[in-house]
């Protein structure tokens, strides 16, 4: 046996036997490849494990329930025996939320993906939570509808994962985050009881909103009723340039407060701007060499050389022109009485001109649209080249936004190369999406301590970043969730609420079997 | 001692002494008038008690804390002794939510009403929860801002009451319900710990949304950060007539889905239409005599005579012209890039014309605006005339709306005269606001059993109404809350969620002192 594949132990084999008896042959497995696949998600720190050939937290067994009733049976089975149950969607999470730190049962929900029930006149779709995001959008599209939810993980994420981690899609300024789209859920709690919320406004406390973002620690969501929309009939895309990030933020805020609802509104900081427009001609003329290696995705030695001195690299960014790119898009289904996408776009241009926006025409917008999912797939080549890329999405109010941006840049600067864009804007504030690029490999390739060193560098970078974000009054996570990764910072966010969270855990999951070791629960 | 005023018992006097020692002189009272004032809200069934000269559920003592810290001290005091604590805002509730059924401490929050902190550039206002609604709106108005929250109780309700019962204002189609406006809260749980939620999107489970609608059973909300808006610069009001309620509903749905955001959109059923336009000239020509007594607010014997035969009265309504009035209004702060109030109004007219809407001009809209709070003050004269008026606000999805309306009308018809309007429309559905007019007095005025008889008639009417609403797939309450009044129906709404609610109660209030006997907790 090489690499992270490891044979199941006797506990795993016993669970496989019992769960196969419970749900039927083929519903459970403790084959090494299955255990490895469920031992991690796309958390970059877990990729370091994979690279080092280890899987520190495999489950004992993987189970594939095919119905809510089967989920109930697995949960009751596990509750009786005190075995952990970790729900698993498609494994695209970037915070280690599905890592089964206490072993037990990895509950893969992919078979909970029967045909969705689309009611376009009622504007709803009923869907099982194991449904793949892109598949759902294709089925909706075939019925003339859209969910309007386009996370960059859409090809490899599920409805259940979205709900568990408060997902935001790229068009959230128009369609909202997943918590704004969900009208009702069905969920199985840690005692195996089924909770179904109504599809009407709640009378009394709202249990639906409580379970969103709970990352499998309070209940396992099995079905959801989501709001859908008629497919957009028209789309309008644009790029605009501001002289500075600060002017761009002011423009974005004015736009959100104007009553216009852009589908896309993403503001890039100078370096991210450079990346976003890098196929656009001579924009690179003044870019210093080491920066260019990074920006142009140079592989191997050049990249590693540059990343050895992140502070220098980050300082070089200060020498860039301060221009900040805004990608702006509108879309509509043609039923809107007030304006269509083009009209709304032109109103936005008129509103943003006095804020200092130069109209760059449709090309930058169209280009962003064509490439919008690619970013998620750049990680592996970077990784092979000895770097790690990671992203941190925090959010705060408009008045604290610029300081948050500066504080995180400053804190991360000694650890990694950092860039950012501003997206998912709302009335009171906005999310900042930072990208960190750091050195994963040490100078001592092949040394057994190399993993520990790499993890240490990764952790130091994140500790600095999250401390700075909390100090600046940001939420810990806007839409990636908490997972293993950010949980030690959770008390900074919730304060006394942590005690309430623990009490909720006891209420929903008295045996403590649901995704233990997450959210500090 | 006559009527409902009753001297405090030894328990009350001891509590008064201890709490005065804890918070200072003048902070606690067990004077009979204070106990009576806190023994009920505006629940019509409690008005029957008042009329009969009884107060079946007085508190033992009333306390007026002036700060969060004082709330904490009272809660800790009560938790140590197992004494009930019932938070009280302004007593405008209509479901008996503040009736202290276990006696104990009535916690009047009116002194928690320091000057709000208005941040118009940030679009937020920080306010203590004892703040009166109209006072807050006046203070905001002075700063060029508005909350956009105008419940008909605004003169006699508080921010805390709004949050506790999921209040909706008359302009909710534009500004949302209170749960859409609140960005953060401070609350004291049943152990005296202070929970403060962040003013940024939640990472992990959302405790804020959990506490809304909890009616004082999980925590006592002491402060809130709410979204505010610049004062509207312009307003556009209109009346439109549809040939039937069904056409009106279809028009309302099309309007909400068009992307337009009316400030006001209220559709009246034929009888409510008649009431709404009754000063409008010859509309009454064809109104049968008994109906006219009711519509014209005839007092005394004529009204009682009519209400003795509610089924007949309800049948007479069928003979009315089926016309249905829509009151429509737009308002804007002038900063909207897409349209101002007038433009949006005209777009709405163009959209609604093909749906069968006749434009009645601005007068019906202006009239509604001028009289919009008066409805809350019609109850007392009716009551004096021997009738009771009550309202039931339920909500459901568009496809179930017409059936809900018919089912509730049918169920209530033998018990009370019933009319309705449709308001608080949203994308997936709409609220129906029913008004019941019934006979409060029996034929045996002066008989000691009279209260029991009146309560029996009242309860029978409501049991029929709520059963029909639940059967038709409606939420129990859209914005009045649950209180004592509707709690037995709560399991119809929450199902397995009731077990979770009870677990939440144990988590937030382990001693069970917070507003016991409500939400079945």
């Amino acid at each position: 046996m090489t690499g992270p594949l490891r044979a199941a132990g006797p506990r795993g084999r016993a669970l496989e036997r019992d769960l196969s008896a419970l749900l039927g042959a083929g519903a459970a497995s403790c084959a090494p490849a299955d255990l490895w696949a469920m031992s991690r998600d796309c958390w970059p720190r877990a990729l370091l494990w994979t690279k080092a050939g280890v899987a520190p937290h495999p489950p004992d067994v993987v189970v594939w329930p095919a119905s809510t009733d089967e989920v109930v049976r697995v949960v009751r089975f596990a509750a009786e025996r005190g075995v952990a149950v970790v729900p698993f969607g498609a494994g695209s999470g970037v915070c280690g939320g599905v890592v089964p730190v206490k072993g037990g049962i990895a509950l893969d929900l992919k078979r909970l993906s029967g045909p969705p029930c689309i009611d376009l006149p009622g504007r709803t779709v009923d869907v099982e939570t194991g449904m793949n995001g892109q598949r759902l959008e294709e089925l909706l599209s075939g019925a003339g509808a859209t969910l309007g939810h386009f996370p960059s993980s859409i090809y490899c994420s599920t409805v259940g994962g979205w709900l568990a981690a408060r997902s935001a899609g790229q068009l959230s300024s128009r369609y909202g985050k997943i918590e704004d789209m969900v009208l009702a859920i069905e969920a199985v709690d840690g005692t195996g009881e089924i909770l179904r919320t109504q599809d009407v406004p709640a009378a009394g406390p709202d249990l639906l909103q409580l379970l969103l973002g709970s990352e499998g620690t309070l209940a396992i969501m099995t079905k959801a009723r989501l709001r859908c929309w008629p497919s957009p009939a028209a789309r309008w895309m644009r790029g605009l340039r501001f002289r500075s990030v600060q002017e761009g933020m002011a423009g974005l805020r004015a736009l959100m407060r104007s009553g216009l609802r852009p589908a896309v509104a993403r503001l890039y900081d100078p370096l991210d701007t450079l990346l976003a427009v890098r196929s656009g001609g001579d924009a690179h003329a003044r870019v210093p060499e080491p920066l260019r290696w990074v920006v142009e995705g140079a592989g191997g030695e050049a990249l590693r050389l540059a990343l050895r001195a992140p502070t220098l690299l980050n300082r070089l960014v200060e020498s860039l022109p301060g221009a900040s790119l805004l990608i702006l898009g509108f879309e509509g289904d043609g039923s809107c009485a007030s304006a269509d996408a083009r009209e709304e776009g032109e109103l936005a241009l008129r509103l943003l001109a006095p804020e200092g926006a130069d109209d760059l025409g449709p090309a930058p917008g169209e280009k962003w649209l064509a490439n919008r999912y690619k970013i998620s797939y750049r990680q592996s080549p970077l990784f092979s080249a000895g770097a790690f890329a990671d992203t941190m999405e925090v959010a705060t109010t408009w008045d604290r936004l610029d300081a948050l941006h500066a504080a995180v840049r400053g804190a991360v600067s000694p650890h990694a190369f950092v860039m950012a864009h501003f997206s998912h804007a709302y009335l009171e504030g906005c999310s900042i999406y930072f990208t960190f690029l750091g050195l994963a490999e040490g100078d001592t390739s092949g040394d057994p301590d190399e993993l520990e060193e790499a993890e240490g560098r990764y952790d130091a970078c994140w500790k600095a970043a999250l401390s700075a974000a909390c100090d600046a009054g940001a939420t810990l996570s806007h839409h990636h969730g908490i997972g293993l990764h950010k949980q030690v910072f959770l008390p900074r966010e919730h304060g006394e609420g942590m005690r309430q969270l623990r009490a909720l855990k006891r209420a929903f999951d008295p045996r403590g079997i649901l995704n233990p070791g997450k959210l500090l629960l």
Side-chain angles (χ1 to χ4, degrees), chain A:
Chain A
M1 189 67 59
T2 63
L5 296 184
R6 217 160 51 185
R11 177 175 143 107
R13 290 195 300 273
L15 285 168
E16 184 192 49
R17 187 191 60 229
D18 292 347
L19 287 162
S20 295
L22 194 67
L23 302 190
S29 164
C30 59
D34 289 327
L35 300 186
W36 174 72
M38 301 285 143
S39 71
R40 51 140 193 89
D41 53 16
C42 291
W43 185 22
R45 198 175 191 275
L47 296 186
L48 296 175
W49 303 339
T50 299
K51 199 171 185 200
V54 300
H57 304 294
D60 291 303
V61 66
V62 181
V63 184
W64 292 273
S67 65
T68 302
D69 176 60
E70 291 193 355
V71 172
V72 167
R73 282 149 70 192
V74 173
V75 169
R76 289 198 174 144
F77 170 92
E80 280 166 17
R81 288 158 185 79
V83 175
V85 178
V86 182
F88 192 101
S92 70
V94 292
C95 304
V98 298
V99 176
V101 287
K102 303 272 171 82
I105 299 167
L107 193 77
D108 188 348
L109 296 168
K110 283 186 200 72
R111 288 187 188 170
L112 277 185
S113 55
C117 177
I118 302 167
D119 174 8
L120 189 50
R123 300 279 181 98
T124 61
V125 53
D126 291 342
V127 61
E128 291 186 311
T129 52
M131 172 63 74
N132 170 275
Q134 177 64 16
R135 176 77 184 132
L136 175 60
E137 192 57 32
E138 282 164 11
L139 290 166
L140 283 164
S141 179
T146 181
L147 196 61
H149 191 65
F150 301 95
S152 64
S153 66
I154 191 168
Y155 290 111
C156 53
S157 57
T158 63
V159 171
W162 297 346
L163 294 166
R166 299 189 171 277
S167 175
Q170 293 173 338
L171 309 190
S172 74
S173 297
R174 178 177 174 87
Y175 296 101
K177 290 181 70 184
I178 196 74
E179 58 255 48
D180 306 310
M181 301 177 183
V182 60
L183 304 169
I185 53 163
E186 178 190 86
V188 178
D189 74 12
T191 69
E193 296 295 328
I194 302 174
L195 175 68
R196 292 186 182 93
T197 67
Q198 299 261 25
D199 64 344
V200 289
D206 187 348
L207 297 175
L208 166 57
Q209 288 294 330
L210 177 68
L211 294 181
L212 301 182
S214 63
E215 304 192 18
T217 61
L218 300 179
I220 296 164
M221 290 180 262
T222 46
K223 288 179 188 161
R225 172 164 290 185
L226 305 172
R227 175 184 297 145
C228 66
W229 301 80
S231 300
R235 184 176 281 146
W236 177 98
M237 296 298 306
R238 210 74 164 194
L240 294 96
R241 185 172 44 213
F242 290 91
R243 281 182 298 265
S244 68
V245 175
Q246 288 74 20
E247 276 195 9
M249 285 184 213
L252 193 52
R253 182 173 70 169
L255 181 69
M256 294 313 295
R257 290 186 173 174
S258 72
L260 288 171
R261 285 177 304 172
V264 186
R266 297 165 78 89
L267 179 76
Y268 294 85
D269 75 1
L271 181 66
D272 223 342
T273 293
L274 210 60
L275 276 166
V277 300
R278 76 176 180 284
S279 61
D282 64 354
H284 285 199
R286 284 172 297 164
V287 178
E289 189 91 316
L291 263 190
R292 202 185 298 177
W293 297 338
V294 179
V295 170
E296 293 178 355
E301 201 46 49
L303 181 66
R304 282 196 297 274
L305 186 66
L307 292 179
R308 250 175 226 139
T311 305
L312 171 69
L313 216 53
N314 286 308
R315 280 217 191 110
L316 285 174
V317 171
E318 314 293 331
S319 68
L320 291 176
S324 187
L325 174 72
L326 176 68
I327 297 295
L328 188 61
F330 287 88
E331 61 178 41
D333 59 18
S335 74
C336 177
S338 59
D340 64 15
R342 189 184 52 78
E343 278 177 71
E344 286 191 279
E346 283 167 10
L347 285 164
L349 289 184
R350 284 208 289 281
L351 181 123
L352 291 173
E355 304 281 339
D358 283 336
D359 181 2
L360 305 179
E366 302 288 355
K367 185 182 157 217
W368 172 82
L369 195 67
N371 293 292
R372 62 190 175 133
Y373 297 137
K374 289 196 180 154
I375 185 74
S376 294
Y377 303 95
R378 283 190 196 141
Q379 199 172 22
S380 298
L382 276 168
F383 214 78
S384 302
F388 75 84
D390 209 340
T391 56
M392 179 174 92
E393 24 60 71
V394 291
T396 196
T397 53
W398 290 112
D399 59 324
R400 304 194 291 246
L401 198 63
D402 192 27
L404 170 63
H405 180 229
V408 172
R409 269 194 68 82
V412 173
S413 205
H415 304 282
F417 185 53
V418 56
M419 61 194 114
H421 67 261
F422 302 74
S423 54
H424 312 292
Y426 47 102
L427 278 171
E428 286 79 23
C430 188
S431 165
I432 312 184
Y433 197 92
F434 291 97
T435 301
F436 307 149
L437 208 59
L439 201 58
E441 282 181 4
D443 293 331
T444 53
S445 187
D447 190 300
D449 295 334
E450 193 182 342
L451 173 61
E452 207 173 313
E453 261 189 67
E455 285 182 331
R457 269 194 300 277
Y458 180 86
D459 292 346
C461 174
W462 269 94
K463 191 177 169 194
L466 287 170
S467 296
C470 286
D471 289 345
T475 187
L476 262 187
S477 167
H478 181 260
H479 57 275
H480 285 172
I482 305 297
L484 273 184
H485 187 27
K486 302 174 189 170
Q487 65 178 346
V488 295
F489 283 87
L490 213 50
R492 291 285 306 269
E493 167 131 359
H494 285 290
E496 173 62 21
M498 291 307 299
R499 210 178 57 84
Q500 309 288 5
L501 269 185
R502 286 190 291 272
L504 288 173
K505 175 70 174 180
R506 288 192 296 275
F508 281 81
D509 179 24
R511 295 296 306 273
I513 58 164
L514 295 183
N515 205 2
K518 307 293 163 60
L519 303 185
L520 295 184
L521 298 175

